[in-house]
Every structure is written in structure tokens, then in C-alpha cells.
Amino acid sequence: MAAESIWLWTGTAGMTIGTLYFVARGRGVRDPEMQQFYIATIFITTIAASMYLLMATGFGLTEVVVGEQTLDIYWARYADWVFTTPLLLFDLALLAGANRNTLATLVGLDVFMIATGVVAALEPTPAYRILWWGISTGALLALLYILVGTLSDQARQKSGEVARLFGTLRNLTIVLWLLYPVVWVLGTEGTIGVIPLYWETAAFMVLDLSAKVGFGFLLLRSRSVLEQATQAE
Ligand code: RET
């Protein structure tokens, strides 16, 4: 078994515990508007738990020959992110009371970011890997720009408590999401290998748990705030 699998098993356990906790929190929520928060958040950790299991058991791993090196690439990360990051944005948009165009733009940029990230990860030429990384990071910056601009404007129309929760989750998202391309480019994928696979896997695990379970915990902590978010339409 690969040395880094300790972190992948930790990720599997963490995502599973998070899922069970969110399911327990969501019991008895009858309002369909409010149920959306629980449905999205439960899917986020369910998908992540299964993709972590896929990586821990070695199925989610492939090899890519880049120049002289053979890189171990965990492709299952991208299968996780392409579904879970739109769901995280959906949660934020729901909280902010965003309109459909704002949500569609965010999700479009996000899927573009992950898709170009897959190309970066599988590309055999080092320079082109960095090119696709740059394109993907450009999409991330555009996405965060909308988060701070349009989405925050929309959230400001909400009650004080809702706007405050939105602000907290938005800031958490900005900080954590910006770290992903940094870990990627300094890690094995960036081919310079400043961070070895073992520590890179640990770093992504901590980021994933914070961005999903930590995020969900803060979001679902107060039922009354979610009530305010969905009622004052
Ligand atoms: C990649 C590599 C290419 C450049 C960029 C990336 C961004 C990834 C991000 C992932 C976020 C994942 C989350 C997961 C679960 O909680 C694909 C690493 C910009 C932002 C939040």
C-alpha cells in the first residue's frame, strides 16, 4: 500500500463522519427551501468520501509520463471536485439569494477550472502542464472576483445574520480555494516537486476536509439563520 494512503484513509473517515453528522442535523427539516442546503452539503461529503475511498484503495490513481519522470496522479480528485465545487457554490449562492445568472456563471467558471485542471494533470509536456495550470488559475480568479463582487452585493440585501454567515463562508472559500493551485504547482503535479507526494496528499486532505466538512459545519450550525436566508425572498 502506498505510504500516502494513511492520509487518504483519514480523508475517507473524515468525509464519512461529516456526512453522518450532516444527515443527523438535517433530520426533521421539512421546509423544501431549507432542505436544499442539507441536500447539497450531504452530497458534497458523500461524493468526497467515495472518491477518497477510491484513492485509498489505489483505483483512483494513474501514472503519467512527463519528460523523464513518471508521476503518480490521483485522477479521482478531479472526479470529486467537478461535482463538489459546484455544490459548494450552490450553497453560497443560495445563502446570498443569488439569481440564476450569477449561479450559472459561477458554476460555468468552476467546471471550466476543474476541466482545464484535468488537462494540466494529464498533459505529458511540462511547459504545457504549466500553461493549463495558468488557464485554470485564471478561471479561479474570475470566479473569486464574482464571489467578492456580484454575490457579495446580493448577500448584503439579506438580514444581518445571514450576511455575516455568508461573509464568513466566502472568506473561508477564498483562502482555501487559492491554496489548491499553490499545492498543485509546488507538489508532484507541477513536476518541480518542492512538496513530495506524501505531504501533498496530506495538504489536499486538510484542504478538502476544511473546505467541505468545516464549511458544512459552519453553514448548517444555525437553523434559524438558514430559515432567515430562505424566507426573506
Ligand atoms: C487545480 C489545478 C490547476 C489550477 C487550479 C486548481 C484548482 C482547484 C481548486 C479546487 C478546489 C477544491 C475544493 C474541494 C473540496 O472541498 C485543479 C488544483 C486553479 C480550487 C474546494
Side-chain angles (χ1 to χ4, degrees), residues 78 81 85 88 113 133 136-137 140 177 180-181 184 208 211-212:
Y78 304 87
W81 297 343
T85 51
L88 287 164
M113 169 186 82
W133 172 88
S136 177
T137 303
L140 172 62
W177 288 36
Y180 281 86
W184 192 98
D208 282 341
K212 293 184 169 86

Side-chain angles (χ1 to χ4, degrees), residues 7-158:
W7 305 125
L8 299 169
W9 285 111
T10 311
T12 309
M15 295 298 178
T16 307
I17 293 166
T19 304
L20 296 175
Y21 175 74
F22 298 148
V23 169
R25 296 263 345 163
R27 284 193 53 190
V29 176
R30 293 282 169 265
D31 177 59
E33 292 281 323
M34 266 179 76
Q35 284 175 342
Q36 296 180 65
F37 285 109
Y38 293 86
I39 295 168
T41 310
I42 290 165
F43 267 117
I44 291 168
T45 49
T46 305
I47 294 168
S50 58
M51 289 305 111
Y52 262 93
L53 182 61
L54 209 65
M55 293 193 280
T57 53
F59 184 91
L61 180 67
T62 187
E63 286 185 343
V64 178
V65 179
V66 180
E68 323 265 86
Q69 310 179 54
T70 302
L71 303 182
D72 283 329
I73 300 290
Y74 281 101
W75 61 264
R77 292 194 184 295
Y78 304 87
D80 171 336
W81 297 343
V82 78
F83 295 110
T84 57
T85 51
L87 287 167
L88 287 164
L89 294 172
F90 173 77
D91 268 339
L92 280 173
L94 198 61
L95 194 62
N99 61 41
R100 191 185 291 235
N101 283 357
T102 308
L103 178 60
T105 309
L106 284 170
V107 170
L109 282 167
D110 181 79
V111 171
F112 181 82
M113 169 186 82
I114 302 298
T116 49
V118 174
V119 179
L122 301 180
E123 165 63 51
T125 308
Y128 293 161
R129 293 176 73 84
I130 300 302
L131 174 64
W132 285 107
W133 172 88
I135 293 170
S136 177
T137 303
L140 172 62
L141 295 178
L143 185 162
L144 294 180
Y145 180 79
I146 296 178
L147 221 57
V148 199
T150 316
L151 203 62
S152 299
D153 289 344
Q154 285 165 355
R156 264 191 287 277
Q157 331 258 317
K158 293 279 179 177

